[in-house]
């Protein structure tokens, strides 16, 4: 759509979204644009508007220089606030229909299969029967880290029969109270003051990373990667390729752990 400022481009798009009542993806041509346009997107304040932007603030891809036989390792730096927004966008798509996702073009990369992502969700409800140890193992499988001292996003702690965590897509602390194997209470609290904000009847805990994979697929992939690594290292043993061949085992084993 082309037009001068104030010609009604955003209004037209919002009315189309309102008419079809389907989750909508708005792609931006630049990375700063999604955050700047989000407040004006959509015709209803009740709709859930989310931002899905590039996760990395710095990315240096790996490289190999044949002339000097030098291998340069990849390096990256994450933006935690953008990571939270990405998880909030994914959660909204799983739980609601009235969702507008405003994203940069880079959103098409690396989000994995929705079926695999949805199959790993931890679902708890008040009155349900769950083994506490199984719940903790499930959280670890979702890439949540245990920290009994200080809580932050995508971390949890355990105090007696009480489980506390901060979901990957939120800033609020969620407290789950167990009585034996039964979930007795689920509540939301302010992580700084401890003030009770809301009571919940259920809780869906989404993975702390978009790259989570079911165990059966993961083990099959790790095995295939190991076999391919051995084949590649054998081929890279010729003179002039030692750095490239020597870099493969540590990089591959690190990524597949």
């Amino acid at each position: 759509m082309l037009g001068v400022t104030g010609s009604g481009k955003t209004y037209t798009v919002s009315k189309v979204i309102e008419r079809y009542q389907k989750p909508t993806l708005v792609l931006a041509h630049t990375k700063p644009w999604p955050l700047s346009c989000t407040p004006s997107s959509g015709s209803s304040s009740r709709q859930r508007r989310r931002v899905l932007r590039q996760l990395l603030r710095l990315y240096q891809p790996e490289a190999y220089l044949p002339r000097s036989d030098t291998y340069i390792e990849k390096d990256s730096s994450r933006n935690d606030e953008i990571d939270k927004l990405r998880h909030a966008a994914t959660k909204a798509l799983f739980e609601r229909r009235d969702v507008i996702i405003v994203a940069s073009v880079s959103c098409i990369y690396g989000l994995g299969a929705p079926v695999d992502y949805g199959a790993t969700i931890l679902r708890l409800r008040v009155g349900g029967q769950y083994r506490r140890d199984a719940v903790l193992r499930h959280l670890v499988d979702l890439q949540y880290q245990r920290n009994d001292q200080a809580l932050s996003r995508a971390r949890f702690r355990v105090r007696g029969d009480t489980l506390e965590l901060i979901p990957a897509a939120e800033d609020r602390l969620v407290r789950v109270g167990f009585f034996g194997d039964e979930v007795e209470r689920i509540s939301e609290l302010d992580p700084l003051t401890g003030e009770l904000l809301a009571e919940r009847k259920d809780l869906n805990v989404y993975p702390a990373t978009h790259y989570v994979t079911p165990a059966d697929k993961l083990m099959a992939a790790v095995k295939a990667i190991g076999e391919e690594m051995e084949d590649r290292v054998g081929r890279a043993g010729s003179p002039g390729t030692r750095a490239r061949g020597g870099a493969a085992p540590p990089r591959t084993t690190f990524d597949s752990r």
Side-chain angles (χ1 to χ4, degrees):
M1 295 181 66
L2 299 176
V4 299
T5 301
S7 61
K9 299 187 297 299
T10 302
Y11 176 78
T12 302
V13 172
S14 67
K15 297 303 288 185
V16 171
I17 295 172
E18 182 182 37
R19 177 178 178 181
Y20 285 95
Q21 291 294 306
K22 291 184 178 181
T24 304
L25 173 63
V26 180
L27 285 178
H29 59 286
T30 60
K31 295 170 187 174
W33 190 77
L35 283 178
S36 64
C37 78
T38 300
S40 62
S41 297
S43 58
S44 172
S45 61
R46 292 175 295 177
Q47 287 182 309
R48 181 65 56 89
R49 297 185 292 273
R50 292 298 186 186
V51 179
L52 185 59
R53 291 185 63 202
Q54 184 172 344
L55 177 63
L56 303 178
R57 49 167 84 150
L58 166 68
Y59 179 69
Q60 166 63 53
E62 62 183 2
Y64 175 71
L65 306 178
R67 177 171 297 181
S68 59
D69 196 22
T70 302
Y71 166 71
I72 302 174
E73 292 188 2
K74 63 181 177 182
D75 186 24
S76 63
S77 174
R78 278 192 169 192
N79 186 310
D80 190 68
E81 179 65 21
I82 293 178
D83 185 43
K84 185 188 73 174
L85 293 174
R86 288 166 66 91
H87 283 289
T90 309
K91 177 184 176 182
L93 286 172
F94 271 88
E95 296 185 348
R96 304 172 63 109
R97 293 288 296 171
D98 54 344
V99 180
I100 302 173
I101 302 296
V102 184
S104 62
V105 178
S106 60
C107 75
I108 65 177
Y109 297 106
L111 286 184
V115 174
D116 292 342
Y117 184 87
T120 61
I121 298 173
L122 172 61
R123 306 179 190 274
L124 303 174
R125 61 178 177 83
V126 174
Q129 297 288 327
Y130 312 91
R131 290 181 59 86
R132 196 194 67 161
D133 291 344
V135 172
L136 300 184
R137 285 195 296 269
H138 198 155
L139 285 173
V140 173
D141 290 340
L142 295 181
Q143 303 296 315
Y144 279 71
Q145 299 179 12
R146 180 169 180 172
N147 189 325
D148 291 332
Q149 303 301 320
L151 270 186
S152 58
R153 197 176 58 83
R155 284 172 171 76
F156 70 95
R157 67 186 175 201
V158 181
R159 295 177 175 176
D161 291 334
T162 301
L163 166 66
E164 295 180 338
L165 65 110
I166 298 182
E170 302 177 25
D171 290 323
R172 294 183 176 184
L173 184 149
V174 179
R175 178 178 293 167
V176 182
F178 284 87
F179 184 76
D181 289 338
E182 180 182 351
V183 173
E184 191 174 36
R185 184 182 183 187
I186 301 176
S187 52
E188 283 186 10
L189 300 95
D190 187 299
L192 296 178
T193 64
E195 176 188 359
L196 178 64
L197 301 176
E199 295 285 351
R200 288 189 179 186
K201 294 182 179 181
D202 52 37
L203 171 66
N204 294 332
V205 183
Y206 291 80
T209 172
H210 285 102
Y211 310 109
V212 66
T213 306
D216 54 344
K217 290 187 177 182
L218 180 63
M219 297 310 298
V222 169
K223 181 180 178 181
I225 290 171
E227 293 173 352
E228 183 177 357
M229 179 195 70
E230 294 177 0
D231 178 62
R232 294 290 181 178
V233 170
R235 296 183 186 182
S238 59
T241 60
R242 294 194 199 108
R244 181 165 39 180
R251 285 190 294 120
T252 305
T253 53
F254 177 82
D255 289 340
S256 61
R257 279 185 299 185

